[in-house]
Amino acid sequence: MRKSLIITVKDVGEVTVKEVSPFALYRALNSADKAGEMISLLTDCVDLPEGKRLQDLWPSEIEQIVESFVEVNSAFLGIADKLGLKGMLVGLSAMVTQNLPKLFAESYRQVMESALGTTAGAVSSPPSTP
């Protein structure tokens, strides 16, 4: 039976963190797009309330989810350590972490466009005087 844990993240709501599938991890390890597959794996293991996305969460909110992920997946992580896969998992984790700024940047751009009607990174020049 797949283990899970329901946590409450302030300003997000109830989040369900589930055990990782060994097959999904295998697929991610053998994918050409490892970072993309790992992000898909993460979204399969984390159920957010309706309307919430991982890309919209703040680091402190993600930290709570990661701590719960480690707790729920303690058996898997222990087996990986015994099989000598821990280093590889740390490397994959680093790869996903490196891609998180892209997700955050995309969210920032979307917020700027919808809230302010601007494109993030666009430079406006001061109005010219006649």
Side-chain angles (χ1 to χ4, degrees), residues 38-101:
M38 290 301 287
I39 290 170
S40 293
L41 179 74
L42 182 60
T43 57
D44 181 50
C45 293
V46 178
D47 288 338
L48 296 169
E50 190 170 331
K52 301 288 184 180
R53 301 178 322 151
L54 285 171
Q55 298 95 316
D56 299 330
L57 301 182
W58 294 94
S60 59
E61 296 164 339
I62 293 172
E63 183 178 40
Q64 285 181 267
I65 294 170
V66 168
E67 288 170 358
S68 299
F69 180 85
V70 170
E71 180 182 338
V72 169
N73 287 283
S74 61
F76 172 77
L77 296 172
I79 292 168
D81 188 29
K82 289 176 185 174
L83 294 174
L85 301 175
K86 190 173 182 179
M88 181 173 48
L89 292 175
V90 169
L92 284 170
S93 174
M95 188 185 313
V96 170
T97 303
Q98 289 169 357
N99 282 284
L100 281 177

